[in-house]
Amino acid sequence: MFRRKNVKKEIDEGYPHSFDIETFHQEILSLVSNSEDLVVRTISIDDVRIAVVYFDDLINTAYMQDSLIKPLEELSGEIDYHSIHNSIHIAKITVTNQINDVVNNLVNGTAYVFKENDTYGILADVADKGTRGLEKAETESLVFGPKIAFTESITKNLNLIRSNINDPKLCVETFTIGKRTKKKVQMIYIKDIAEEENVNNFRQRITDLEIDSIIDSTVLAQMIEDNSFTFFPQLMTSELPDRCTLSLLHGKICLLVDRSPTAIIGPSTFINFFESTEDIYMRWNMGTFLRLIRFIAIFFSILLTPAYVAVLTYHYEVIPSALLISLGQSRSNVPFPPVFEALLFEFIIELLREAGARLPTKVGQTMGIVGGIVIGQASVQAGFTSNILIIIISISALGSFTAPSYTIGTAVRIIRFPIIIMAGLYGGVGIMFCFCFILLHLLKVTTLGRPYLSPIYPFRFADFKYSLFRLPYQYLVKRPVTNHPVDQGRIPEKKAKQKKDVDQ
């Protein structure tokens, strides 16, 4: 038997609806556009009639039959909303008499129960959530660490986070967003770690939203971020509960959206998008090596193809003589200038990537590999491009795929196109202009009002061990300063480096 709350505290104030079953049926039909899947079931007990109202397609039929209908059919004695409230074997029930509350809950899979001519009715949650089971992450695959990923159920997602952080200081605030499609949004943070200003910024941006619906957490992230016109994401989205756990322990805040399998994490800096939770599970030197590999790969991905265009167009003198002969022979039959050649094949790479992502998994992988080989080989033999450009573009594409975050990898691929154009027009000067422009832009971008390039700008050397590289755990005694945590200590500094055997 479930524990019952005080019924009087659950009663809503407001204009009550009609408790005549036929009249109520007409009232509710007018508010739901005469939907044919609305069911009003009547249970007769002696001279008493009890109405159960629900949408047939939204409820769990077996659960409602066992936990709601059977207990109602077994009622005896004096029947009112108190006895109905105490007989229902469902955990989430509330008392109301307002027609708007009834409609808003019915469309979310709740059943409404009332005795004819009584003063209040009962809302019982019997929704069929229709969510998939817990599975492996698809977009953030790992070799080490937990493989479990979020699902479309906000309850399951919160349960995964709470199972990782069983701290009574873990706070959950719930909001409802959307005028037409009401979505539940939960803000999660650790009270004595997360900075109050970051919490207030998130809370204000969520409550200030006025929109008809929120489809997914990625849409919500775009609506509450600082700058909507930049290519660079300012809030991280992740399907991994352990990434959310680490972020919360570092002083960040997470948002969960109902029916969305990804969480929003903020504030998120530019460097955070190149970090993987796998770096934490590996030894510190391996994790540092992999992070440096990613940063170098992204640097090559952005500048390698523009450098090829600039060198062949304006700066032949920087090419070694041995390579210059090979390069001249490779480009002798190519009819296009380097800038057009590079743009064409960058575009082809993007076509292959997009087609591979949209096709079924096995077909997409085969098409991407075979298509890349066939197009590359045929283009070289037909004289459309040189062998060296195929190699350079392949390295650039691989570099962009090393980023753990899909959004930052896409941003890198997009900004490569204007840099190639500037390299074709102005050579090395054009590349430096674009590089300086991007750097100035990143210095100006903020995430929840915090610097996006932190800890590089403003310079915080203490946070480098959490971003650009990793140190052994005994040196990670404090949380990242970038997040402005209230409780800065992670490990007692005096005991961090102590290692004693049993006999000591």
Side-chain angles (χ1 to χ4, degrees):
M1 184 69 70
F2 296 99
R3 295 180 61 185
R4 303 294 176 184
K5 300 179 181 178
N6 189 338
V7 176
K8 293 182 179 180
K9 292 183 179 180
E10 297 182 79
I11 296 177
D12 301 315
E13 297 180 359
Y15 185 78
H17 62 77
S18 172
F19 279 90
D20 176 75
I21 294 178
E22 286 72 22
T23 306
F24 174 79
H25 191 186
Q26 296 303 317
E27 286 181 1
I28 212 79
L29 276 176
S30 65
L31 293 175
V32 298
S33 303
N34 295 316
S35 297
E36 295 182 357
D37 58 341
L38 179 71
V39 177
V40 179
R41 179 174 175 178
T42 303
I43 300 174
S44 297
I45 303 174
D46 296 332
D47 296 332
V48 176
R49 291 204 304 168
I50 300 174
V52 182
V53 187
Y54 55 91
F55 279 103
D56 190 39
D57 297 330
L58 298 180
I59 57 100
N60 186 324
T61 306
Y63 179 60
M64 187 179 77
Q65 181 66 29
D66 294 337
S67 303
L68 181 63
I69 302 299
K70 282 186 178 180
L72 290 176
E73 293 175 341
E74 296 172 357
L75 281 173
S76 60
E78 183 180 354
I79 300 176
D80 57 11
Y81 71 89
H82 290 283
S83 58
I84 294 175
H85 183 281
N86 293 326
S87 66
I88 297 175
H89 302 161
I90 295 173
K92 190 176 180 181
I93 54 178
T94 54
V95 178
T96 187
N97 68 342
Q98 290 185 312
I99 191 71
N100 289 335
D101 288 342
V102 174
V103 173
N104 291 335
N105 283 276
L106 284 177
V107 296
N108 286 316
T110 300
Y112 186 57
V113 185
F114 68 92
K115 172 198 167 188
E116 189 171 33
N117 299 323
D118 205 349
T119 52
Y120 292 97
I122 308 295
L123 288 167
D125 186 7
V126 290
D128 183 3
K129 303 299 182 181
T131 57
R132 58 190 170 94
L134 299 176
E135 299 174 354
K136 292 178 63 175
E138 293 291 335
T139 59
E140 298 177 83
S141 58
L142 301 174
V143 177
F144 298 103
K147 307 297 189 297
I148 197 169
F150 286 131
T151 69
E152 285 77 13
S153 170
I154 194 171
T155 305
K156 287 184 180 180
N157 295 342
L158 180 59
N159 183 31
L160 289 172
I161 294 178
R162 280 201 177 276
S163 63
N164 289 336
I165 306 178
N166 52 357
D167 186 347
K169 295 291 185 180
L170 184 69
C171 294
V172 180
E173 296 184 19
T174 304
F175 308 89
T176 302
I177 301 178
K179 295 179 180 179
R180 294 189 176 273
T181 304
K182 299 184 182 300
K183 279 290 182 72
K184 184 190 295 184
V185 177
Q186 291 182 334
M187 180 173 67
I188 307 169
Y189 60 94
I190 302 178
K191 190 173 184 61
D192 57 349
I193 297 180
E195 189 192 26
E196 188 65 24
E197 184 178 346
N198 290 337
V199 175
N200 291 335
N201 283 338
F202 255 131
R203 185 185 295 121
Q204 179 183 357
R205 295 186 187 191
I206 294 171
T207 54
D208 287 348
L209 281 177
E210 294 184 5
I211 191 170
D212 56 352
S213 66
I214 296 289
I215 303 301
D216 189 74
S217 58
T218 53
V219 177
L220 178 61
Q222 296 175 54
M223 292 181 176
I224 63 176
E225 64 185 3
D226 294 29
N227 188 343
S228 299
F229 296 98
T230 179
F231 289 121
F232 299 96
Q234 297 119 64
L235 295 173
M236 179 176 290
T237 55
S238 176
E239 61 176 348
L240 295 176
D242 54 330
R243 181 186 282 275
C244 291
T245 300
L246 291 169
S247 300
L248 290 169
L249 292 173
H250 286 170
K252 296 187 179 184
I253 303 160
C254 293
L255 295 181
L256 297 178
V257 179
D258 197 16
R259 315 303 300 172
S260 175
T262 55
I264 302 171
I265 303 173
S268 300
T269 63
F270 178 74
I271 294 178
N272 290 152
F273 291 93
F274 299 96
E275 300 170 0
S276 172
T277 54
E278 199 170 40
D279 304 341
I280 308 297
Y281 304 133
M282 289 185 173
R283 292 180 56 81
W284 68 272
N285 40 22
M286 297 178 185
T288 299
F289 175 76
L290 291 179
R291 284 189 183 179
L292 293 177
I293 286 291
R294 291 190 205 110
F295 289 124
I296 295 172
I298 292 297
F299 184 79
F300 278 165
S301 177
I302 295 174
L303 296 180
L304 202 57
T305 308
Y308 168 85
V309 173
V311 166
L312 289 186
T313 307
Y314 295 99
H315 311 292
Y316 274 105
E317 66 276 4
V318 302
I319 304 175
S321 56
L323 180 60
L324 184 60
I325 296 172
S326 174
L327 188 59
Q329 292 175 349
S330 178
R331 283 194 46 83
S332 59
N333 297 323
V334 178
F336 307 116
V339 60
F340 180 81
E341 179 189 9
L343 288 173
L344 175 63
F345 278 89
E346 287 286 358
F347 181 71
I348 292 174
I349 287 291
E350 290 303 311
L351 285 181
L352 290 172
R353 184 193 63 81
E354 188 66 16
R358 300 290 167 253
L359 289 171
T361 305
K362 295 182 179 179
V363 179
Q365 292 176 351
T366 304
M367 194 280 302
I369 296 172
V370 175
I373 295 173
V374 170
I375 292 176
Q377 186 66 27
S379 300
V380 172
Q381 292 180 354
F384 279 103
T385 185
S386 62
N387 289 317
I388 294 179
L389 179 63
I390 295 294
I391 296 172
I392 289 175
I393 288 182
S394 300
I395 295 174
S396 298
L398 289 174
S400 65
F401 294 142
T402 59
S405 170
Y406 178 82
T407 52
I408 199 67
T410 304
V412 167
R413 291 194 295 272
I414 292 174
I415 65 174
R416 196 160 56 217
F417 284 92
I419 300 178
I420 292 173
I421 295 173
M422 290 296 290
L425 294 175
Y426 303 105
V429 176
I431 295 177
M432 288 307 300
F433 174 82
C434 290
F435 182 80
C436 293
F437 179 83
I438 293 171
L439 181 60
L440 291 173
H441 173 70
L442 291 175
L443 290 171
K444 187 179 178 180
V445 173
T446 57
T447 168
L448 284 183
R450 302 298 184 189
Y452 190 54
L453 278 187
S454 181
I456 299 174
Y457 175 82
F459 186 78
R460 295 188 176 101
F461 183 73
D463 282 2
F464 275 48
K465 59 180 176 287
Y466 284 104
S467 52
L468 293 177
F469 52 87
R470 264 201 62 213
L471 290 181
Y473 279 104
Q474 59 264 32
Y475 295 98
L476 307 179
V477 295
K478 291 187 177 181
R479 306 182 202 279
V481 182
T482 300
N483 302 326
H484 302 274
V486 178
D487 180 13
Q488 298 184 1
R490 295 183 67 244
I491 307 173
E493 197 162 353
K494 293 182 179 179
K495 297 183 179 180
K497 300 179 182 179
Q498 290 181 0
K499 293 183 180 179
K500 293 185 178 181
D501 297 329
V502 177
D503 59 351
Q504 292 179 314

